[in-house]
Amino acid sequence: MTRNGDARLEGPDRHDRLRHRSAAEPRPFRVGTWRVDPAAREISDGTHQRKLSPRAMAALELLAAAGGDVVSRAVFLDTIWPNVCVTEESVTTALSELRRAFGETRGSRRIIETVQKSGYRLTVQIAFDDDPSRLGESDDRFHLDAYTLIQEARRLRERGERDHFERADDLCLEARRMAPDFALAHAQHALALCFRQLYRGGGIDLSEAAEIAQNGRRLRPDLAFCHAAEGYALYALQNYDDARRAFGRAVATDPNDFEAHFVAGCGLHAMGDWRPAAAIAERAAMVRPSDYQMLAIAARSSEALGDRSRALINANMALARVETRLAMDASEPRAHFAKTFLLAMTGRNAEDAINRTDDSQAGWAVGFYRVLALAGIGAVPDALDQLDEIIDLGWRHGDMLQAESMLDPLRREQRFQAIQTSLAA
């Protein structure tokens, strides 16, 4: 095709070929930095996600099929409104919607160019992919940089220190902007937003987190972690039935994906679905033999189910792994705090371990472990004081108050009931 500014896609052969290409089975493609999903009628640049009308999406598909060549108004009318009597104003309306969706403003660079007396064309690179599940995975260096950022964000969340949730959010947002079609960046950012809201009270719009997670899942429906992140965002929105279904898809997609099992196990435990939470957490612990957090979830879920024997087995195994982790990194706050409630669960001397923990750098996520430990040894006033403290500092994970059987000693207290009520409001 010619790419001259005054070129026209005219003539019966070229007209029919263009109509055939635009009417083919829709598949995702890229327009510059924007990813286009014709089936969902959505465009996204990693930060913004916009829904298009059917006519606007048809116009965009037609422009993309032209590959940068000019498409005349006559071709738009014949292709999008066949056998329908409409004026050229319909073309103008569809293209105006596209320009608004792309964020074009007066004086900004045009993605859709008007070619005088000829028609319209796209001015940015257009890329289709024969395998939509692999969309955006071709530039290894580009995505390697984004992957590095989200792995750093994951490490920060795992340590759980005071400013880590905000930093993790920032890193994931940067990764999305760097690689708009990188599905894991979307999934990790959705998770970072949820954790920031639940553990830091960051005023996050959780519906935005769910949209970001859904975008990641659309980009790579073959990745278990994308389904798990969507499930966690739906759980945070208290859309529990859809969350369960997403978690089910996650573990079914890849039974050996530790991160997907980790997220699903945490979400199911918080929802009070203790039986699947315990099973999924135990599977995750098998997949990654060094991890103690999933065994701790399995122990707490088993305890809530009334299976004391299973709870003790998981708690003792988790303790052994905690000791190994601390031998490698004695500064890890999460491991120190996890040790306290695991000791309380197994009936060992937890008080000394509690007194030795330093919460000056620990975040509110791991501070909750201290609440569990204090409740586990019967120090009810101290547990309530610690709970009040982490709530004052942003902890908002109210579902955990209902899910944790270790908090049973607190449930009769009016202070605890008032806390539950305030978090549910």
Side-chain angles (χ1 to χ4, degrees):
M1 291 184 181
T2 179
R3 294 182 182 273
N4 295 329
D6 59 352
R8 293 175 183 266
L9 279 170
E10 295 184 20
D13 290 341
R14 300 177 75 182
H15 190 158
D16 290 344
R17 185 165 61 252
L18 181 57
R19 178 187 292 136
H20 173 75
R21 286 173 61 185
S22 65
E25 183 178 353
R27 56 195 174 108
F29 57 95
R30 291 193 301 277
V31 174
T33 61
W34 291 83
R35 180 185 184 272
V36 182
D37 185 344
R41 297 206 320 274
E42 289 179 350
I43 64 172
S44 172
D45 67 350
T47 302
H48 305 96
Q49 186 168 322
R50 310 264 166 73
K51 194 86 171 178
L52 298 179
S53 69
R55 300 304 188 193
M57 178 55 74
L60 181 55
E61 289 184 272
L62 192 59
L63 287 165
D69 284 296
V70 176
V71 181
S72 69
R73 284 179 173 265
V75 171
F76 276 109
L77 291 170
D78 290 348
T79 304
I80 301 175
W81 292 273
N83 305 316
V84 178
C85 184
V86 295
T87 67
E88 291 188 353
E89 185 63 24
S90 298
V91 178
T92 302
T93 299
L95 294 175
S96 294
E97 179 185 341
L98 282 178
R99 285 172 166 152
R100 287 194 303 272
F102 284 128
E104 290 189 4
T105 58
R106 186 178 297 275
S108 67
R109 181 192 179 191
R110 292 287 189 180
I111 292 177
I112 303 170
E113 180 186 19
T114 301
V115 180
Q116 287 293 335
K117 299 182 180 181
S118 295
Y120 306 88
R121 68 186 181 99
L122 293 173
T123 65
V124 295
Q125 183 179 6
I126 304 139
F128 289 83
D129 195 298
D130 291 332
D131 180 5
S133 72
R134 300 298 300 179
L135 187 64
E137 304 297 322
S138 59
D139 189 339
D140 290 338
R141 289 175 299 173
F142 184 66
H143 291 295
L144 180 61
D145 291 339
Y147 182 79
T148 300
L149 292 177
I150 62 175
Q151 289 305 310
E152 176 63 14
R154 184 193 61 77
R155 189 190 70 83
L156 289 171
R157 288 201 308 270
E158 183 175 337
R159 288 185 65 86
E161 296 180 27
R162 292 198 171 184
D163 62 343
H164 282 185
F165 293 104
E166 289 90 340
R167 288 171 60 193
D169 179 7
D170 292 341
L171 286 169
C172 290
L173 178 58
E174 184 180 350
R176 283 180 59 212
R177 288 172 173 168
M178 179 184 296
D181 293 332
F182 190 32
L184 286 177
H186 289 267
Q188 288 283 0
H189 190 211
L191 204 60
L193 288 170
C194 291
F195 281 18
R196 182 170 179 176
Q197 174 61 25
L198 294 174
Y199 295 120
R200 288 288 283 156
I204 301 299
D205 181 358
L206 290 172
S207 62
E208 179 187 0
E211 290 176 4
I212 293 170
Q214 289 163 3
N215 198 36
R217 185 256 301 159
R218 291 188 188 108
L219 282 164
R220 290 295 303 274
D222 59 317
L223 291 183
F225 184 77
C226 290
H227 292 283
E230 182 179 15
Y232 202 89
L234 291 167
Y235 146 68
L237 280 169
Q238 299 185 330
N239 190 344
Y240 299 136
D241 289 339
D242 286 343
R244 290 183 186 98
R245 283 189 282 270
F247 289 143
R249 291 194 299 271
V251 298
T253 298
D254 187 349
N256 294 311
D257 187 319
F258 170 81
E259 297 291 345
H261 281 64
F262 182 97
V263 172
C266 290
L268 289 165
H269 174 77
M271 288 193 297
D273 279 5
W274 298 307
R275 195 172 301 281
I280 288 171
E282 287 170 351
R283 174 60 187 172
M286 291 174 61
V287 172
R288 183 172 294 178
S290 63
D291 179 76
Y292 63 87
Q293 294 185 65
M294 282 290 94
L295 282 173
I297 287 285
R300 289 149 60 191
S301 293
S302 298
E303 185 82 11
L305 287 167
D307 191 342
R308 180 64 177 163
S309 175
R310 184 180 179 187
L312 283 174
I313 291 171
N314 284 318
N316 280 310
M317 291 174 62
L319 265 174
R321 293 187 183 186
V322 164
E323 295 290 3
T324 300
R325 179 66 63 87
L326 289 173
M328 294 186 294
D329 182 3
S331 68
E332 184 181 329
R334 186 182 292 274
H336 279 290
F337 279 74
K339 181 178 178 179
T340 61
F341 80 79
L342 289 168
L343 287 171
M345 283 192 73
T346 56
R348 304 181 197 181
N349 183 11
E351 190 168 357
D352 287 345
I354 294 171
N355 292 334
R356 287 195 300 270
T357 55
D358 176 12
D359 63 356
S360 62
Q361 291 301 316
W364 330 138
V366 298
F368 184 67
Y369 289 170
R370 194 175 200 176
V371 177
L372 296 179
L374 290 166
I377 65 172
V380 172
D382 291 339
L384 289 169
D385 288 344
Q386 177 73 21
L387 185 56
D388 275 333
E389 181 179 343
I390 64 174
I391 289 172
D392 287 344
L393 294 169
W395 190 86
R396 295 293 181 271
H397 212 335
D399 283 342
M400 296 296 284
L401 300 184
Q402 186 64 35
E404 293 292 349
S405 62
M406 290 188 71
L407 298 180
D408 287 348
L410 311 184
R411 299 194 190 283
R412 295 186 298 273
E413 302 293 324
Q414 289 186 350
R415 281 177 65 190
F416 183 80
Q417 295 166 13
I419 289 170
Q420 280 190 302
T421 300
S422 66
L423 288 179

